[in-house]
Amino acid sequence: MKAKMMNVYGVFAAAFAAVAMMMTTLVANSTCIYFSYQDELPERARKLRKF
């Protein structure tokens, strides 16, 4: 039972990491609609930009 729960946690962790990576890529390639609130991106997130 414990091994099965650890496997389920691993699947959820992998899915969460994939969604986080997709969201970071989406945010790195878009701009904020509020022009006065455009935060600086971290250097690691800038590497994900596609332009």
Side-chain angles (χ1 to χ4, degrees), residues 5-51:
M5 287 299 290
M6 291 303 289
N7 189 21
V8 170
Y9 287 143
V11 169
F12 281 126
F16 186 75
V19 169
M21 183 66 165
M22 288 187 328
M23 288 301 296
T24 304
T25 304
L26 178 73
V27 170
N29 290 315
S30 63
T31 59
C32 183
I33 61 172
Y34 301 107
F35 296 109
S36 63
Y37 188 73
Q38 184 71 33
D39 275 344
E40 290 293 322
L41 286 175
E43 189 62 37
R44 294 176 70 188
R46 286 179 189 236
K47 294 179 183 177
L48 298 172
R49 292 170 54 183
K50 299 203 188 285
F51 55 89

